[in-house]
Amino acid sequence: MTILKKSKAALTMVVAIAMVFCLSMGAFAKEYPVSYGQNETHATNSAINVKVAVEGRTTAYKEINVSLNAKTSSQKVIDAMLAVNADATKGIIFGTNATTPVNAESTYFSCVNGEGGSGVGYSGWCFRINGGFPMDSSGFGTTIATATITDGDVISFFIDDPISESSATKFTRANVITKTPSQIVVNVKESHQYFAPAPSYDWVISNFAKYIGATVELYSGSTASGTIISTATTNGFDGNATISNLNLTQGGTYTVKVLGNVSGNYLTSTSTTETFTLN
């Protein structure tokens, strides 16, 4: 896991950086570790397509495909947020507060569709890119204004409260590792971030590890909608969910969804999907 050493005096600044800047989900275009240093190899000024996933305590999980036109500078997370805000059909508004949408100069956001943190601990909105926590050269999380994105990226926004490991949201991702007409096996992993207690106040980002007890649903088609074909729960041995006794169509397209959970004031785990073709 990644541990960032911070002094108690700097805790307030670190909380702000972690929560509103950079605290995915299915088949990633790129496999980054749980945290990674961003550099210009991940920057592009070309036209790109990205996926935005959003999930809060009251904001239901939603995946949005976003197309961004080419620009003279590298594409950033804020560009995708502005594109979502500009399209009323997306049904999502990112805001600096409950009533003010983000703009091109924004470096942070605190609300989605008017929903902010729970008021408990350091609860607030975070983001990851392809499941990873992008870091800048100084060792801090990048902001929505500085985090670069490129074609195929998945940007996930979710509510988190990292005041302790027990309250931190499990950020999940899934991988379909077995695909046959009669059986699929889905591996689910999770990562979470939190502040260690005094006196260290270290910012800890856990490596992705097996997620036990997660519910996995199987759908026909390229989205997690319509009739559920079957469900399973991830085991404690390797975090796999096995769905058997199927009669899937060779060449058919299917989607698995890992269900997120809310408990009281907390989003305890995020949702994620992965779409695959049975070849």
Short mmCIF file of all heavy atoms in Angstrom, two decimals, residues 79-150:
data_model
loop_
_atom_site.label_atom_id
_atom_site.label_comp_id
_atom_site.label_asym_id
_atom_site.label_seq_id
_atom_site.Cartn_x
_atom_site.Cartn_y
_atom_site.Cartn_z
N ASP A 79 -12.41 19.11 -18.02
CA ASP A 79 -13.01 19.16 -19.35
C ASP A 79 -14.15 18.15 -19.47
O ASP A 79 -15.21 18.45 -20.04
CB ASP A 79 -11.96 18.88 -20.43
CG ASP A 79 -10.88 19.95 -20.49
OD1 ASP A 79 -11.24 21.14 -20.44
OD2 ASP A 79 -9.70 19.60 -20.57
N ALA A 80 -13.95 16.96 -18.93
CA ALA A 80 -15.01 15.95 -18.96
C ALA A 80 -16.18 16.37 -18.09
O ALA A 80 -17.34 16.17 -18.46
CB ALA A 80 -14.45 14.60 -18.49
N MET A 81 -15.90 16.97 -16.94
CA MET A 81 -16.96 17.43 -16.05
C MET A 81 -17.81 18.52 -16.72
O MET A 81 -19.04 18.52 -16.62
CB MET A 81 -16.36 17.93 -14.74
CG MET A 81 -15.61 16.87 -13.96
SD MET A 81 -14.64 17.53 -12.58
CE MET A 81 -15.94 17.93 -11.41
N LEU A 82 -17.14 19.44 -17.39
CA LEU A 82 -17.86 20.52 -18.07
C LEU A 82 -18.73 19.97 -19.20
O LEU A 82 -19.85 20.45 -19.44
CB LEU A 82 -16.87 21.55 -18.61
CG LEU A 82 -16.14 22.38 -17.55
CD1 LEU A 82 -15.05 23.23 -18.21
CD2 LEU A 82 -17.11 23.27 -16.78
N ALA A 83 -18.22 18.96 -19.91
CA ALA A 83 -18.99 18.36 -20.99
C ALA A 83 -20.24 17.68 -20.45
O ALA A 83 -21.32 17.74 -21.06
CB ALA A 83 -18.13 17.36 -21.76
N VAL A 84 -20.12 17.02 -19.31
CA VAL A 84 -21.29 16.39 -18.68
C VAL A 84 -22.29 17.45 -18.25
O VAL A 84 -23.50 17.34 -18.50
CB VAL A 84 -20.86 15.54 -17.47
CG1 VAL A 84 -22.08 15.06 -16.68
CG2 VAL A 84 -20.03 14.34 -17.93
N ASN A 85 -21.81 18.52 -17.62
CA ASN A 85 -22.70 19.60 -17.17
C ASN A 85 -23.45 20.23 -18.34
O ASN A 85 -24.61 20.64 -18.20
CB ASN A 85 -21.90 20.69 -16.46
CG ASN A 85 -21.60 20.36 -15.01
OD1 ASN A 85 -21.82 19.23 -14.57
ND2 ASN A 85 -21.10 21.33 -14.27
N ALA A 86 -22.79 20.33 -19.49
CA ALA A 86 -23.37 21.03 -20.64
C ALA A 86 -24.47 20.23 -21.34
O ALA A 86 -25.22 20.79 -22.14
CB ALA A 86 -22.27 21.38 -21.63
N ASP A 87 -24.56 18.94 -21.04
CA ASP A 87 -25.55 18.08 -21.70
C ASP A 87 -26.63 17.70 -20.70
O ASP A 87 -26.43 16.83 -19.84
CB ASP A 87 -24.86 16.83 -22.24
CG ASP A 87 -25.79 15.96 -23.08
OD1 ASP A 87 -27.01 16.17 -23.02
OD2 ASP A 87 -25.28 15.06 -23.77
N ALA A 88 -27.78 18.34 -20.80
CA ALA A 88 -28.87 18.12 -19.83
C ALA A 88 -29.35 16.68 -19.83
O ALA A 88 -29.90 16.20 -18.83
CB ALA A 88 -30.03 19.07 -20.13
N THR A 89 -29.16 15.97 -20.94
CA THR A 89 -29.63 14.58 -21.01
C THR A 89 -28.81 13.65 -20.11
O THR A 89 -29.25 12.54 -19.82
CB THR A 89 -29.57 14.05 -22.45
OG1 THR A 89 -28.20 13.97 -22.89
CG2 THR A 89 -30.34 14.95 -23.40
N LYS A 90 -27.62 14.10 -19.69
CA LYS A 90 -26.78 13.26 -18.83
C LYS A 90 -27.33 13.18 -17.41
O LYS A 90 -27.08 12.21 -16.69
CB LYS A 90 -25.34 13.79 -18.79
CG LYS A 90 -24.67 13.95 -20.15
CD LYS A 90 -24.59 12.65 -20.91
CE LYS A 90 -23.77 12.83 -22.19
NZ LYS A 90 -23.83 11.63 -23.06
N GLY A 91 -28.05 14.22 -16.98
CA GLY A 91 -28.68 14.19 -15.66
C GLY A 91 -27.72 14.33 -14.50
O GLY A 91 -28.03 13.94 -13.37
N ILE A 92 -26.54 14.89 -14.76
CA ILE A 92 -25.53 15.08 -13.70
C ILE A 92 -25.00 16.50 -13.78
O ILE A 92 -24.65 16.99 -14.86
CB ILE A 92 -24.36 14.09 -13.85
CG1 ILE A 92 -24.82 12.65 -13.57
CG2 ILE A 92 -23.19 14.46 -12.95
CD1 ILE A 92 -25.17 12.38 -12.12
N ILE A 93 -24.92 17.17 -12.62
CA ILE A 93 -24.31 18.50 -12.54
C ILE A 93 -23.25 18.49 -11.45
O ILE A 93 -23.54 18.24 -10.28
CB ILE A 93 -25.36 19.60 -12.23
CG1 ILE A 93 -26.37 19.71 -13.36
CG2 ILE A 93 -24.67 20.94 -11.99
CD1 ILE A 93 -25.79 20.22 -14.67
N PHE A 94 -22.01 18.73 -11.84
CA PHE A 94 -20.91 18.89 -10.89
C PHE A 94 -20.89 20.34 -10.42
O PHE A 94 -20.94 21.26 -11.25
CB PHE A 94 -19.57 18.55 -11.54
CG PHE A 94 -19.44 17.11 -11.96
CD1 PHE A 94 -19.63 16.73 -13.28
CD2 PHE A 94 -19.10 16.13 -11.03
CE1 PHE A 94 -19.51 15.41 -13.68
CE2 PHE A 94 -18.96 14.80 -11.41
CZ PHE A 94 -19.17 14.44 -12.74
N GLY A 95 -20.79 20.57 -9.11
CA GLY A 95 -20.83 21.93 -8.60
C GLY A 95 -19.74 22.22 -7.58
O GLY A 95 -19.27 21.33 -6.88
N THR A 96 -19.34 23.49 -7.51
CA THR A 96 -18.43 23.91 -6.45
C THR A 96 -19.18 24.01 -5.13
O THR A 96 -18.58 23.96 -4.07
CB THR A 96 -17.79 25.27 -6.78
OG1 THR A 96 -18.82 26.22 -7.06
CG2 THR A 96 -16.88 25.15 -7.99
N ASN A 97 -20.51 24.16 -5.23
CA ASN A 97 -21.38 24.04 -4.07
C ASN A 97 -22.73 23.54 -4.58
O ASN A 97 -22.86 23.17 -5.75
CB ASN A 97 -21.50 25.37 -3.30
CG ASN A 97 -21.97 26.52 -4.18
OD1 ASN A 97 -22.95 26.39 -4.91
ND2 ASN A 97 -21.25 27.64 -4.13
N ALA A 98 -23.74 23.55 -3.72
CA ALA A 98 -25.02 22.95 -4.08
C ALA A 98 -25.74 23.69 -5.20
O ALA A 98 -26.60 23.10 -5.87
CB ALA A 98 -25.92 22.88 -2.85
N THR A 99 -25.40 24.94 -5.44
CA THR A 99 -26.13 25.73 -6.44
C THR A 99 -25.26 26.28 -7.57
O THR A 99 -25.79 26.81 -8.54
CB THR A 99 -26.84 26.92 -5.76
OG1 THR A 99 -25.86 27.74 -5.11
CG2 THR A 99 -27.86 26.43 -4.75
N THR A 100 -23.94 26.14 -7.47
CA THR A 100 -23.04 26.73 -8.47
C THR A 100 -22.27 25.66 -9.22
O THR A 100 -21.44 24.95 -8.63
CB THR A 100 -22.03 27.68 -7.80
OG1 THR A 100 -22.73 28.65 -7.01
CG2 THR A 100 -21.18 28.39 -8.85
N PRO A 101 -22.53 25.50 -10.52
CA PRO A 101 -21.79 24.49 -11.30
C PRO A 101 -20.31 24.85 -11.41
O PRO A 101 -19.93 26.02 -11.32
CB PRO A 101 -22.46 24.55 -12.68
CG PRO A 101 -23.79 25.19 -12.45
CD PRO A 101 -23.57 26.16 -11.32
N VAL A 102 -19.47 23.86 -11.62
CA VAL A 102 -18.06 24.11 -11.86
C VAL A 102 -17.92 24.89 -13.17
O VAL A 102 -18.80 24.83 -14.04
CB VAL A 102 -17.24 22.81 -11.93
CG1 VAL A 102 -17.24 22.09 -10.60
CG2 VAL A 102 -17.76 21.90 -13.04
N ASN A 103 -16.82 25.61 -13.32
CA ASN A 103 -16.54 26.31 -14.56
C ASN A 103 -15.12 25.99 -15.00
O ASN A 103 -14.42 25.21 -14.35
CB ASN A 103 -16.75 27.82 -14.41
CG ASN A 103 -15.87 28.43 -13.33
OD1 ASN A 103 -14.66 28.19 -13.29
ND2 ASN A 103 -16.47 29.21 -12.45
N ALA A 104 -14.68 26.58 -16.09
CA ALA A 104 -13.38 26.26 -16.68
C ALA A 104 -12.22 26.60 -15.76
O ALA A 104 -11.11 26.07 -15.94
CB ALA A 104 -13.22 26.97 -18.02
N GLU A 105 -12.45 27.47 -14.78
CA GLU A 105 -11.38 27.87 -13.86
C GLU A 105 -11.41 27.08 -12.56
O GLU A 105 -10.55 27.28 -11.69
CB GLU A 105 -11.49 29.37 -13.54
CG GLU A 105 -11.54 30.27 -14.76
CD GLU A 105 -10.34 30.07 -15.67
OE1 GLU A 105 -9.22 29.95 -15.15
OE2 GLU A 105 -10.54 30.00 -16.90
N SER A 106 -12.36 26.18 -12.39
CA SER A 106 -12.51 25.46 -11.12
C SER A 106 -11.35 24.50 -10.88
O SER A 106 -10.88 23.83 -11.80
CB SER A 106 -13.82 24.68 -11.11
OG SER A 106 -14.94 25.53 -11.19
N THR A 107 -10.91 24.45 -9.64
CA THR A 107 -9.87 23.51 -9.24
C THR A 107 -10.40 22.47 -8.27
O THR A 107 -9.67 21.56 -7.87
CB THR A 107 -8.69 24.24 -8.57
OG1 THR A 107 -9.18 24.96 -7.43
CG2 THR A 107 -8.03 25.21 -9.54
N TYR A 108 -11.66 22.60 -7.87
CA TYR A 108 -12.25 21.63 -6.95
C TYR A 108 -13.75 21.55 -7.21
O TYR A 108 -14.34 22.39 -7.90
CB TYR A 108 -12.01 22.04 -5.50
CG TYR A 108 -12.85 23.22 -5.05
CD1 TYR A 108 -14.07 23.03 -4.41
CD2 TYR A 108 -12.45 24.53 -5.32
CE1 TYR A 108 -14.86 24.11 -4.03
CE2 TYR A 108 -13.22 25.61 -4.94
CZ TYR A 108 -14.42 25.39 -4.29
OH TYR A 108 -15.20 26.45 -3.93
N PHE A 109 -14.39 20.54 -6.66
CA PHE A 109 -15.85 20.44 -6.66
C PHE A 109 -16.25 19.83 -5.33
O PHE A 109 -15.48 19.09 -4.71
CB PHE A 109 -16.36 19.59 -7.82
CG PHE A 109 -16.11 18.11 -7.68
CD1 PHE A 109 -17.15 17.23 -7.45
CD2 PHE A 109 -14.83 17.59 -7.80
CE1 PHE A 109 -16.93 15.87 -7.31
CE2 PHE A 109 -14.59 16.23 -7.66
CZ PHE A 109 -15.65 15.37 -7.42
N SER A 110 -17.44 20.15 -4.86
CA SER A 110 -17.89 19.61 -3.57
C SER A 110 -19.27 19.00 -3.63
O SER A 110 -19.71 18.40 -2.65
CB SER A 110 -17.89 20.72 -2.51
OG SER A 110 -18.83 21.74 -2.83
N CYS A 111 -19.97 19.15 -4.78
CA CYS A 111 -21.33 18.64 -4.89
C CYS A 111 -21.57 18.00 -6.26
O CYS A 111 -20.98 18.41 -7.25
CB CYS A 111 -22.35 19.76 -4.70
SG CYS A 111 -22.46 20.40 -3.02
N VAL A 112 -22.43 17.01 -6.27
CA VAL A 112 -22.95 16.44 -7.51
C VAL A 112 -24.47 16.39 -7.36
O VAL A 112 -24.98 15.81 -6.40
CB VAL A 112 -22.39 15.03 -7.77
CG1 VAL A 112 -23.03 14.45 -9.03
CG2 VAL A 112 -20.88 15.07 -7.92
N ASN A 113 -25.16 17.05 -8.28
CA ASN A 113 -26.62 17.15 -8.20
C ASN A 113 -27.09 17.65 -6.83
O ASN A 113 -28.09 17.19 -6.29
CB ASN A 113 -27.28 15.81 -8.53
CG ASN A 113 -27.22 15.47 -10.00
OD1 ASN A 113 -26.62 16.20 -10.79
ND2 ASN A 113 -27.85 14.38 -10.40
N GLY A 114 -26.31 18.56 -6.26
CA GLY A 114 -26.66 19.15 -4.97
C GLY A 114 -26.26 18.33 -3.78
O GLY A 114 -26.36 18.79 -2.63
N GLU A 115 -25.76 17.11 -4.00
CA GLU A 115 -25.35 16.25 -2.87
C GLU A 115 -23.90 16.51 -2.51
O GLU A 115 -23.00 16.41 -3.35
CB GLU A 115 -25.51 14.77 -3.21
CG GLU A 115 -25.06 13.87 -2.07
CD GLU A 115 -24.96 12.40 -2.44
OE1 GLU A 115 -25.38 12.03 -3.56
OE2 GLU A 115 -24.46 11.62 -1.60
N GLY A 116 -23.67 16.86 -1.25
CA GLY A 116 -22.32 17.03 -0.75
C GLY A 116 -21.96 15.89 0.17
O GLY A 116 -22.55 14.81 0.12
N GLY A 117 -20.99 16.12 1.04
CA GLY A 117 -20.61 15.12 2.02
C GLY A 117 -21.71 14.92 3.05
O GLY A 117 -22.67 15.70 3.13
N SER A 118 -21.55 13.89 3.85
CA SER A 118 -22.57 13.57 4.85
C SER A 118 -22.52 14.50 6.05
O SER A 118 -23.44 14.53 6.85
CB SER A 118 -22.37 12.13 5.34
OG SER A 118 -21.14 12.03 6.06
N GLY A 119 -21.44 15.26 6.18
CA GLY A 119 -21.25 16.07 7.38
C GLY A 119 -20.54 15.31 8.47
O GLY A 119 -20.25 15.84 9.54
N VAL A 120 -20.24 14.04 8.21
CA VAL A 120 -19.53 13.20 9.17
C VAL A 120 -18.07 13.10 8.74
O VAL A 120 -17.77 12.88 7.56
CB VAL A 120 -20.16 11.80 9.23
CG1 VAL A 120 -19.38 10.90 10.17
CG2 VAL A 120 -21.61 11.89 9.65
N GLY A 121 -17.14 13.27 9.69
CA GLY A 121 -15.73 13.12 9.36
C GLY A 121 -15.30 14.08 8.25
O GLY A 121 -15.67 15.25 8.23
N TYR A 122 -14.53 13.55 7.30
CA TYR A 122 -14.07 14.33 6.16
C TYR A 122 -14.84 13.95 4.90
O TYR A 122 -14.32 14.04 3.80
CB TYR A 122 -12.57 14.09 5.95
CG TYR A 122 -11.71 14.56 7.08
CD1 TYR A 122 -10.93 13.66 7.80
CD2 TYR A 122 -11.68 15.90 7.44
CE1 TYR A 122 -10.14 14.08 8.85
CE2 TYR A 122 -10.89 16.33 8.49
CZ TYR A 122 -10.12 15.42 9.19
OH TYR A 122 -9.34 15.84 10.23
N SER A 123 -16.07 13.52 5.05
CA SER A 123 -16.84 13.01 3.93
C SER A 123 -16.92 14.03 2.80
O SER A 123 -17.20 15.21 3.02
CB SER A 123 -18.26 12.65 4.39
OG SER A 123 -19.05 12.25 3.31
N GLY A 124 -16.71 13.57 1.57
CA GLY A 124 -16.78 14.44 0.41
C GLY A 124 -16.53 13.66 -0.87
O GLY A 124 -16.28 12.45 -0.85
N TRP A 125 -16.62 14.36 -1.99
CA TRP A 125 -16.44 13.73 -3.30
C TRP A 125 -14.97 13.57 -3.65
O TRP A 125 -14.15 14.44 -3.36
CB TRP A 125 -17.13 14.55 -4.38
CG TRP A 125 -18.61 14.39 -4.36
CD1 TRP A 125 -19.51 15.18 -3.69
CD2 TRP A 125 -19.38 13.39 -5.01
NE1 TRP A 125 -20.79 14.73 -3.89
CE2 TRP A 125 -20.75 13.62 -4.70
CE3 TRP A 125 -19.07 12.31 -5.83
CZ2 TRP A 125 -21.78 12.82 -5.18
CZ3 TRP A 125 -20.08 11.51 -6.32
CH2 TRP A 125 -21.42 11.76 -5.99
N CYS A 126 -14.64 12.46 -4.28
CA CYS A 126 -13.28 12.14 -4.71
C CYS A 126 -13.32 11.66 -6.15
O CYS A 126 -14.39 11.41 -6.70
CB CYS A 126 -12.69 11.01 -3.87
SG CYS A 126 -13.06 11.10 -2.13
N PHE A 127 -12.16 11.51 -6.75
CA PHE A 127 -12.13 10.87 -8.06
C PHE A 127 -10.89 10.01 -8.22
O PHE A 127 -9.87 10.22 -7.57
CB PHE A 127 -12.22 11.90 -9.21
CG PHE A 127 -10.98 12.72 -9.44
CD1 PHE A 127 -10.02 12.28 -10.34
CD2 PHE A 127 -10.78 13.92 -8.80
CE1 PHE A 127 -8.87 13.02 -10.59
CE2 PHE A 127 -9.63 14.68 -9.02
CZ PHE A 127 -8.68 14.23 -9.91
N ARG A 128 -11.02 9.01 -9.06
CA ARG A 128 -9.90 8.18 -9.49
C ARG A 128 -9.95 8.09 -11.02
O ARG A 128 -11.02 8.25 -11.62
CB ARG A 128 -9.96 6.79 -8.88
CG ARG A 128 -9.68 6.74 -7.38
CD ARG A 128 -9.48 5.31 -6.95
NE ARG A 128 -9.28 5.20 -5.50
CZ ARG A 128 -8.53 4.26 -4.93
NH1 ARG A 128 -7.91 3.37 -5.68
NH2 ARG A 128 -8.41 4.20 -3.62
N ILE A 129 -8.81 7.79 -11.62
CA ILE A 129 -8.73 7.60 -13.06
C ILE A 129 -8.25 6.18 -13.32
O ILE A 129 -7.17 5.79 -12.85
CB ILE A 129 -7.78 8.61 -13.72
CG1 ILE A 129 -8.25 10.05 -13.44
CG2 ILE A 129 -7.68 8.36 -15.22
CD1 ILE A 129 -7.30 11.12 -13.95
N ASN A 130 -9.06 5.39 -14.02
CA ASN A 130 -8.75 3.99 -14.27
C ASN A 130 -8.45 3.23 -12.99
O ASN A 130 -7.62 2.33 -12.96
CB ASN A 130 -7.57 3.85 -15.24
CG ASN A 130 -7.83 4.53 -16.56
OD1 ASN A 130 -8.96 4.54 -17.05
ND2 ASN A 130 -6.81 5.14 -17.14
N GLY A 131 -9.12 3.64 -11.91
CA GLY A 131 -8.92 2.98 -10.63
C GLY A 131 -7.72 3.48 -9.85
O GLY A 131 -7.53 3.12 -8.70
N GLY A 132 -6.88 4.32 -10.48
CA GLY A 132 -5.67 4.81 -9.84
C GLY A 132 -5.82 6.20 -9.27
O GLY A 132 -6.72 6.96 -9.64
N PHE A 133 -4.94 6.54 -8.35
CA PHE A 133 -4.91 7.82 -7.66
C PHE A 133 -3.77 8.62 -8.27
O PHE A 133 -2.60 8.38 -7.96
CB PHE A 133 -4.67 7.53 -6.18
CG PHE A 133 -4.69 8.72 -5.26
CD1 PHE A 133 -5.70 8.86 -4.31
CD2 PHE A 133 -3.70 9.69 -5.30
CE1 PHE A 133 -5.70 9.93 -3.43
CE2 PHE A 133 -3.69 10.76 -4.44
CZ PHE A 133 -4.70 10.89 -3.50
N PRO A 134 -4.04 9.56 -9.19
CA PRO A 134 -2.94 10.27 -9.86
C PRO A 134 -2.26 11.29 -8.95
O PRO A 134 -2.92 12.13 -8.34
CB PRO A 134 -3.64 10.96 -11.04
CG PRO A 134 -5.07 11.09 -10.64
CD PRO A 134 -5.36 9.96 -9.72
N MET A 135 -0.95 11.21 -8.88
CA MET A 135 -0.16 12.08 -8.02
C MET A 135 0.64 13.05 -8.88
O MET A 135 1.10 12.69 -9.96
CB MET A 135 0.80 11.26 -7.16
CG MET A 135 0.16 10.07 -6.45
SD MET A 135 -0.99 10.55 -5.16
CE MET A 135 0.15 11.24 -3.97
N ASP A 136 0.85 14.26 -8.37
CA ASP A 136 1.71 15.20 -9.09
C ASP A 136 3.15 15.06 -8.62
O ASP A 136 3.46 14.24 -7.74
CB ASP A 136 1.20 16.64 -8.97
CG ASP A 136 1.25 17.18 -7.55
OD1 ASP A 136 2.01 16.64 -6.72
OD2 ASP A 136 0.51 18.14 -7.25
N SER A 137 4.05 15.85 -9.19
CA SER A 137 5.47 15.69 -8.90
C SER A 137 5.83 16.01 -7.46
O SER A 137 6.86 15.56 -6.95
CB SER A 137 6.30 16.57 -9.85
OG SER A 137 5.93 17.93 -9.70
N SER A 138 4.97 16.77 -6.76
CA SER A 138 5.26 17.11 -5.37
C SER A 138 4.80 16.03 -4.40
O SER A 138 5.06 16.11 -3.21
CB SER A 138 4.55 18.43 -5.01
OG SER A 138 3.15 18.28 -5.05
N GLY A 139 4.09 15.01 -4.93
CA GLY A 139 3.63 13.93 -4.07
C GLY A 139 2.22 14.11 -3.57
O GLY A 139 1.75 13.32 -2.75
N PHE A 140 1.52 15.15 -4.02
CA PHE A 140 0.13 15.35 -3.65
C PHE A 140 -0.78 14.85 -4.77
O PHE A 140 -0.36 14.69 -5.92
CB PHE A 140 -0.15 16.83 -3.40
CG PHE A 140 0.45 17.36 -2.15
CD1 PHE A 140 1.59 18.16 -2.19
CD2 PHE A 140 -0.10 17.08 -0.92
CE1 PHE A 140 2.16 18.66 -1.03
CE2 PHE A 140 0.45 17.57 0.25
CZ PHE A 140 1.58 18.36 0.20
N GLY A 141 -2.04 14.64 -4.43
CA GLY A 141 -3.01 14.26 -5.44
C GLY A 141 -3.24 15.40 -6.42
O GLY A 141 -3.25 16.57 -6.05
N THR A 142 -3.39 15.06 -7.70
CA THR A 142 -3.67 16.09 -8.69
C THR A 142 -5.09 16.63 -8.51
O THR A 142 -5.94 15.98 -7.91
CB THR A 142 -3.55 15.52 -10.12
OG1 THR A 142 -4.38 14.35 -10.21
CG2 THR A 142 -2.13 15.16 -10.45
N THR A 143 -5.35 17.81 -9.03
CA THR A 143 -6.67 18.42 -8.94
C THR A 143 -7.47 18.12 -10.20
O THR A 143 -6.92 17.63 -11.19
CB THR A 143 -6.56 19.94 -8.77
OG1 THR A 143 -6.20 20.53 -10.03
CG2 THR A 143 -5.53 20.32 -7.72
N ILE A 144 -8.75 18.46 -10.18
CA ILE A 144 -9.56 18.28 -11.39
C ILE A 144 -9.05 19.17 -12.51
O ILE A 144 -9.30 18.90 -13.69
CB ILE A 144 -11.05 18.55 -11.12
CG1 ILE A 144 -11.27 19.98 -10.61
CG2 ILE A 144 -11.62 17.52 -10.16
CD1 ILE A 144 -12.74 20.36 -10.45
N ALA A 145 -8.31 20.22 -12.17
CA ALA A 145 -7.77 21.14 -13.17
C ALA A 145 -6.42 20.68 -13.71
O ALA A 145 -5.99 21.15 -14.77
CB ALA A 145 -7.63 22.54 -12.58
N THR A 146 -5.75 19.77 -13.03
CA THR A 146 -4.41 19.35 -13.45
C THR A 146 -4.34 17.87 -13.82
O THR A 146 -3.38 17.46 -14.47
CB THR A 146 -3.37 19.63 -12.36
OG1 THR A 146 -3.74 18.92 -11.16
CG2 THR A 146 -3.28 21.12 -12.05
N ALA A 147 -5.30 17.06 -13.43
CA ALA A 147 -5.28 15.63 -13.75
C ALA A 147 -5.56 15.44 -15.23
O ALA A 147 -6.63 15.80 -15.72
CB ALA A 147 -6.31 14.89 -12.92
N THR A 148 -4.61 14.88 -15.95
CA THR A 148 -4.76 14.70 -17.39
C THR A 148 -5.50 13.41 -17.72
O THR A 148 -5.40 12.41 -17.00
CB THR A 148 -3.40 14.70 -18.09
OG1 THR A 148 -2.59 13.65 -17.54
CG2 THR A 148 -2.69 16.02 -17.92
N ILE A 149 -6.22 13.43 -18.83
CA ILE A 149 -6.94 12.25 -19.29
C ILE A 149 -6.66 12.03 -20.76
O ILE A 149 -6.28 12.95 -21.48
CB ILE A 149 -8.46 12.39 -19.06
CG1 ILE A 149 -9.00 13.69 -19.69
CG2 ILE A 149 -8.79 12.32 -17.59
CD1 ILE A 149 -10.51 13.86 -19.59
N THR A 150 -6.84 10.80 -21.20
CA THR A 150 -6.61 10.46 -22.59
C THR A 150 -7.67 9.47 -23.05
O THR A 150 -8.52 9.05 -22.26
CB THR A 150 -5.19 9.91 -22.80
OG1 THR A 150 -4.90 9.86 -24.20
CG2 THR A 150 -5.02 8.55 -22.17
#
